Amino acid sequence: MTLMNSLLTFAQQSAAPAAEGATPAPAPVPAAPTSAAELEEAKQRGAEAAAEAAGQQEVSMMELLQHLNGVEMGVMVILGLCAIYAVALLFEKIYVMRKASGQTKEFLAAFRKANSVEEAEAIVRKLPNSGIKSMFDAGMAEVRRTQDLGLYTMRDARDHTMQRVSAAMATRQNEHLDDLGSSMTFLASIGANAPFIGLFGTVWGIMVAFVGIAKTQTTSLAVVAPGIAGALLATAAGLAAAIPAVLIYNFAAKQISKQGTKLDDFASEFIALVSRDMDRRAG
């Protein structure tokens, strides 16, 4: 046993210097540097992967519409029809107002050349039908009735004649202005109620989105953002329908007011013409 221990001790002493004099392993050679283009491409791939993982892909309008539920889609259809109708009314009002304004201007230019009711009647008879002409016809019909009763030259009957002529012309004026103002109530309703209709769709959509959050047990934006964005689209549609309706309503109301002022002036001119004619005939 003593000989065996001596041999093991000698072997260990001989191996130690050999291990100390061994050549160290060569260090790893560093890889060649990557080019700028490759680095940019790697960054881009990383950004795309991160965006895809986070659900940040760009969402189109059609994709938002696809996320709408039945109630939201119904709201969108109603608001779309209202917006189309409001724009159609804009073109209709522009055409009607320009036509009425042109007819009134032409009529007044011809009427102011007359010096008596008979002369005015002869001139107006050649003009095309219009709202202001219907006023003249109503006033002239009342004048003819007064003449048939033999009251046209009586000073005591003058005030009553003027009142009847004015009332007859006012009735036709109101009818004409009502025709010009057709669909104004609907325009006002769109302007006042469209935002609230859109808000109803938004509230409903957000409620549905929160119900989806409760069912999926997740608050990730990738899950709830499309539904909420689609819900907010209803509010945008409500504003898109209301804003043109309000602008068109204001435009039409201003044009009707101008037309009404011109008709009031014409009624005063006609009554003045009748009054002068009655004075002349009364001597």
Side-chain angles (χ1 to χ4, degrees):
M1 291 298 296
T2 303
L3 180 59
M4 184 64 67
N5 290 337
S6 300
L7 291 175
L8 290 174
T9 302
F10 178 77
Q12 291 175 356
Q13 292 175 353
S14 300
E20 292 177 357
T23 304
V29 180
T34 308
S35 64
E38 292 176 348
L39 287 174
E40 186 65 27
E41 184 178 356
K43 289 180 180 180
Q44 185 175 359
R45 287 198 303 267
E48 291 176 355
E52 183 176 0
Q56 297 176 355
Q57 297 92 339
E58 183 178 357
V59 180
S60 65
M61 189 65 66
M62 292 302 299
E63 290 176 344
L64 286 179
L65 292 175
Q66 291 175 357
H67 285 86
L68 299 180
N69 54 50
V71 175
E72 292 174 309
M73 186 60 69
V75 169
M76 294 292 293
V77 170
I78 292 173
L79 294 175
L81 293 176
C82 290
I84 293 173
Y85 184 72
V87 174
L89 279 179
L90 171 63
F91 294 102
E92 189 263 341
K93 292 301 179 186
I94 290 176
Y95 171 77
V96 170
M97 298 301 174
R98 285 185 176 180
K99 182 180 179 180
S101 179
Q103 290 175 340
T104 300
K105 184 177 181 180
E106 180 185 2
F107 182 93
L108 291 176
F111 171 79
R112 287 167 180 166
K113 298 177 182 178
N115 296 318
S116 65
V117 290
E118 287 80 7
E119 186 177 349
E121 187 178 21
I123 293 174
V124 171
R125 188 180 296 116
K126 302 176 183 179
L127 298 177
N129 293 329
S130 61
I132 192 171
K133 185 180 179 181
S134 67
M135 288 179 60
F136 175 86
D137 293 339
M140 196 64 203
E142 197 59 43
V143 169
R144 292 303 185 191
R145 294 189 187 98
T146 303
Q147 291 175 347
D148 294 340
L149 294 174
L151 303 175
Y152 193 69
T153 57
M154 296 178 61
R155 293 187 180 275
D156 294 340
R158 166 184 271 182
D159 292 339
H160 298 290
T161 301
M162 295 296 102
Q163 291 176 3
R164 290 193 296 268
V165 171
S166 177
M169 297 182 72
T171 300
R172 294 295 180 87
Q173 178 181 352
N174 292 335
E175 292 176 355
H176 177 54
L177 294 179
D178 286 342
D179 292 337
L180 293 180
S182 62
S183 302
M184 292 288 288
T185 303
F186 189 74
L187 275 177
S189 298
I190 294 176
N193 297 317
F196 295 102
I197 297 174
L199 183 60
F200 168 75
T202 296
V203 172
W204 186 273
I206 292 177
M207 285 170 45
V208 173
F210 279 120
V211 171
I213 292 174
K215 288 182 178 180
T216 57
Q217 297 295 321
T218 178
T219 58
S220 173
L221 286 178
V223 177
V224 301
I228 295 177
L232 293 175
L233 189 62
T235 298
L239 295 176
I243 292 173
V246 172
L247 295 177
I248 297 167
Y249 179 88
N250 292 336
F251 163 78
K254 184 177 181 179
Q255 295 300 317
I256 292 172
S257 178
K258 288 182 177 180
Q259 185 70 6
T261 301
K262 292 179 181 179
L263 297 180
D264 289 337
D265 294 340
F266 164 68
S268 300
E269 291 183 24
F270 181 79
I271 291 174
L273 177 65
V274 172
S275 178
R276 288 194 303 269
D277 192 63
M278 291 176 70
D279 288 342
R280 187 177 63 253
R281 295 194 182 192

